[in-house]
Amino acid sequence: MSLRKYTDDELIQRIEKLVRTERRITHLVLLHINEIEDRKIHLERGYDGIYSYLTKGLGFSDGAAYRRLQSARLLRQVPHVAEKIEAGTLNLSQLAQVQKCLKEASQKGLKVSAAKTAKILEKLELKNGFETTKALATEFDLPIQTHQRTIPQKDNSVRLEITLSAEQFAELQMAKQLLSHVCPEGQWSEVIAILAEKFNKRKFGGRSLKVVC
């Protein structure tokens, strides 16, 4: 399908319409998932669970199936969340995160009412992933993770998992903004590497250090 024939305005109108349609279809998919699970139709079709049906039967990736299944289960408790999905103020990633928190709270013996869940969802509207995670950590009083991990990988790269204080992260964010002309993609690995290189060169009189692996 060629889109070259459309003007800029027509192209924008088309994609906006498609996005609205996609959101409407998404919430309908969630309703269908719940109905199929209630009727146990997936079992009649030879699937051992609804997740298996979503991945093997419908071809969703593991992540896509997980987000839809968790969102569908949240939709049972808070039906009006469908309106939020269609409006684009909440997305499946947010709903899956909320459902995960609710499940963990339930496992601890804590009951979160539908009314409270609805209020939590209101606070998440139009928030990005970082803001959503932060809000849920506060709402569900999630424990602060302070462990650090250095994980070597087969290509000699290293994966770092660290916890920064609010002040430390603010300093790092400022450095990231100041280096935006050097790191336009804003990758944290690039920002940290450049800061380390500048510090080392200043410390060692401008000499570059050779890393021995």
Side-chain angles (χ1 to χ4, degrees):
M1 178 181 179
S2 176
L3 300 177
R4 294 290 182 181
K5 63 181 180 181
Y6 298 107
T7 66
D8 292 354
D9 288 341
E10 288 173 336
L11 201 58
I12 292 299
Q13 289 173 3
R14 285 176 62 85
I15 195 170
E16 288 178 350
K17 182 178 179 180
L18 287 170
V19 168
R20 288 193 297 270
T21 301
E22 182 181 34
R23 289 172 181 159
R24 183 164 59 251
I25 290 174
T26 295
H27 105 254
L28 291 175
V29 167
L30 301 184
L31 291 174
H32 278 70
I33 290 172
N34 282 337
E35 188 65 23
I36 289 170
E37 188 172 29
D38 286 345
R39 298 189 193 183
K40 298 182 173 21
I41 301 174
H42 55 290
L43 299 179
E44 297 173 3
R45 297 296 193 275
Y47 297 96
D48 58 4
I50 188 67
Y51 179 81
S52 178
Y53 173 64
L54 294 177
T55 53
K56 297 177 182 178
L58 298 181
F60 283 114
S61 68
D62 290 341
Y66 173 81
R67 288 190 294 273
R68 281 158 180 76
L69 182 55
Q70 297 304 313
S71 298
R73 287 174 174 166
L74 183 61
L75 188 62
R76 291 179 190 273
Q77 185 179 359
V78 190
H80 76 266
V81 78
E83 301 170 7
K84 307 297 183 181
I85 297 172
E86 194 166 338
T89 58
L90 288 171
N91 58 56
L92 296 184
S93 293
Q94 290 175 302
L95 302 184
Q97 281 185 267
V98 172
Q99 182 61 20
K100 179 182 178 182
C101 289
L102 291 172
K103 182 177 179 180
E104 291 175 349
S106 177
Q107 290 172 343
K108 296 176 183 176
L110 303 175
K111 177 65 176 177
V112 182
S113 67
K116 183 174 181 180
T117 300
K119 289 182 179 179
I120 291 173
L121 288 168
E122 286 180 11
K123 295 180 181 179
L124 300 183
E125 289 187 49
L126 299 176
K127 285 187 172 4
N128 60 30
F130 182 90
E131 294 167 337
T132 295
T133 301
K134 181 179 179 181
L136 290 177
T138 300
E139 291 295 332
F140 288 91
D141 194 25
L142 300 181
I144 297 173
Q145 304 293 329
T146 58
H147 67 278
Q148 299 186 37
R149 296 180 65 192
T150 303
I151 307 168
Q153 303 186 111
K154 64 180 181 180
D155 62 351
N156 288 329
S157 64
V158 178
R159 177 180 176 84
L160 295 178
E161 295 182 5
I162 61 175
T163 299
L164 301 175
S165 67
E167 293 77 12
Q168 290 171 327
F169 187 61
E171 291 284 356
L172 196 56
Q173 279 188 309
M174 184 180 296
K176 180 180 178 181
Q177 292 173 1
L178 294 173
L179 290 171
S180 60
H181 63 293
V182 181
C183 306
E185 294 184 3
Q187 295 292 331
W188 285 116
S189 57
E190 293 180 352
V191 172
I192 293 171
I194 289 174
L195 292 174
E197 182 182 4
K198 289 181 178 296
F199 174 82
N200 291 337
K201 282 185 177 180
R202 185 168 67 249
K203 188 72 173 179
F204 293 96
R207 290 182 287 112
S208 296
L209 299 178
K210 292 184 179 180
V211 179
V212 180
C213 297

